[in-house]
Amino acid sequence: MTDHHNMTRLVATPPLGWNSWNAFSCDVTEADIRDAADALVETGLRDAGYEYVVVDDCWMASETDSEGRLQPSADFPNGMAALADYVHNRGLKFGLYSSAGTETCQGYPASLCRERLHAEQFADWGVDYLKYDNCGDHAGRDAIDRYAAMGAALASVERDIVYSICEWGQNRPWEWGRNVGGHLWRATDDLVAKWRADPDEFGLGVADALDRMADIDAAAAHGPSGWNDPDMLQIGNGPDSGQSEHEAVDVQRPLTEAERRTHFAFWCLLAAPLMVGTDLTSLSGFDRELLTNERLLAIDQDPLGIQGTPDRRGDDAEIWSKRLRDGGAVAFHNHGESDREISTHVSAVDVPARADRYRVYDCWTGNKWETSGSLAMTVEPRDTAIVRVTPQ
Ligand code: GAL
């Protein structure tokens, strides 16, 4: 018996890793991927749990071989099996990208009608994760049909491959993603390195993505081995990063520290897949500390896998919460323009209401205190306070 389809469920908690797109867009090279794998180790991100190294669009040559197999471009001179080995040798897992159409979003060959052939290639190369996009001609087939074909192909090969559906949330993939073998599915359009994007430009800002996650109300579909995906992290990115330069979006500055804290706090509260999207060879100290914050990662990786949801929105102060195995996490977000105190009560959020006393733990400062039920935090504009609340 090989380790194929072993008893461990794939992505029992949301996958953590790094993906090339936001940092390098279509200019990605083999050297960038090796550097990213090395940097995951050196920065401590691997030891904090970031495991998957995923090569996004543009790794493939513009022609398949005569049988329709994908071939690596000249920017990957040693080929994908060697690159997978390099990544595996650092204690990491390796991912690739293709599309459920005739072409990828950047016009390279993709996998529609060649699912089995490509799944076998991925397995032979040692691929552990497939991000499967929605570009190219669909040959008249709907999303469920096209994504089910790759799901069946991946299930037929002798390797466990995490299946990441990237259909942008257009056909409510949270309603069928699990059924077609998916382990995560994009619930939203592409996230850009902005707080808010204008409606006429490409993508969603962090605040736009949170609005979308609140609106679609997909939390019931979310859980172990099947995750709603609000897209990859933009922490560390700004005007010069690959995606910002490539897409039709005007990025004027990196996210501020408050905006980055909000981005990370909410992705953890949503129990989102955390795919770092910045060039790790120039990761700042602030971003490294943010991405490796153990208190936040424990919320993201809580074994119950419950997605956080809004309890109160619509004014300048928002409250969201997430049930945890031993209590709950509560986020206090300031949407306004000045500092404010935001308050709530354990009875108004997703915390088990069974105690007279609760311990409260500030996930940014590590400060601890007790309460009989009231919770109040002072929060800067665009920032988010997040606490872990445990019944005593
Ligand atoms: C988009 C996808 C992005 C990225 C890009 C590559 O469709 O949402 O995450 O993969 O294609 O071309």
Side-chain angles (χ1 to χ4, degrees), residues 217-229:
D217 193 21
H222 186 88
S225 304
W227 308 100
N228 294 323
D229 176 8

Side-chain angles (χ1 to χ4, degrees), residues 87-142:
V87 169
H88 290 151
N89 286 338
R90 277 145 192 81
L92 297 161
K93 292 190 167 144
F94 183 64
L96 281 181
Y97 164 104
S98 186
S99 184
T102 49
E103 291 184 352
T104 73
C105 297
Q106 307 307 319
Y108 291 94
S111 300
L112 190 70
C113 300
R114 299 188 282 221
E115 293 86 359
R116 192 65 186 254
L117 188 65
H118 292 181
E120 279 165 11
Q121 283 193 279
F122 300 147
D124 289 348
W125 286 342
V127 168
D128 307 295
Y129 183 112
L130 175 67
K131 174 174 170 181
Y132 203 45
D133 213 336
N134 197 25
C135 280
D137 187 75
H138 295 165
R141 294 165 61 181
D142 74 6

Side-chain angles (χ1 to χ4, degrees), residues 372-383:
S372 59
S374 298
L375 300 165
M377 302 296 287
T378 301
V379 189
E380 284 174 36
R382 297 195 179 174
D383 210 341

Side-chain angles (χ1 to χ4, degrees), residues 21 56-57 97 105-106 131 133 166 168 186 190 232:
W21 184 252
D56 207 282
D57 205 345
Y97 164 104
C105 297
Q106 307 307 319
K131 174 174 170 181
D133 213 336
C166 179
W168 319 308
R186 280 272 298 279
D190 290 26
M232 306 176 288

Side-chain angles (χ1 to χ4, degrees), residues 138-221:
H138 295 165
R141 294 165 61 181
D142 74 6
I144 295 179
D145 191 36
R146 290 177 292 112
Y147 282 94
M150 183 54 88
L154 294 174
S156 76
V157 298
E158 287 289 311
R159 190 171 180 88
D160 286 330
I161 299 179
V162 172
Y163 185 23
S164 164
I165 293 175
C166 179
E167 174 271 2
W168 319 308
Q170 287 187 344
N171 300 279
R172 304 181 67 80
W174 47 91
E175 292 177 352
W176 47 264
R178 239 181 240 274
N179 308 62
V180 300
H183 297 103
L184 59 155
W185 40 83
R186 280 272 298 279
T188 56
D189 292 328
D190 290 26
L191 188 74
V192 295
K194 287 185 95 161
W195 180 245
R196 284 213 184 266
D198 291 336
D200 58 353
E201 63 182 359
F202 177 87
L204 300 176
V206 170
D208 306 313
L210 292 177
D211 288 345
R212 175 98 179 122
M213 290 305 286
D215 288 348
I216 61 177
D217 193 21

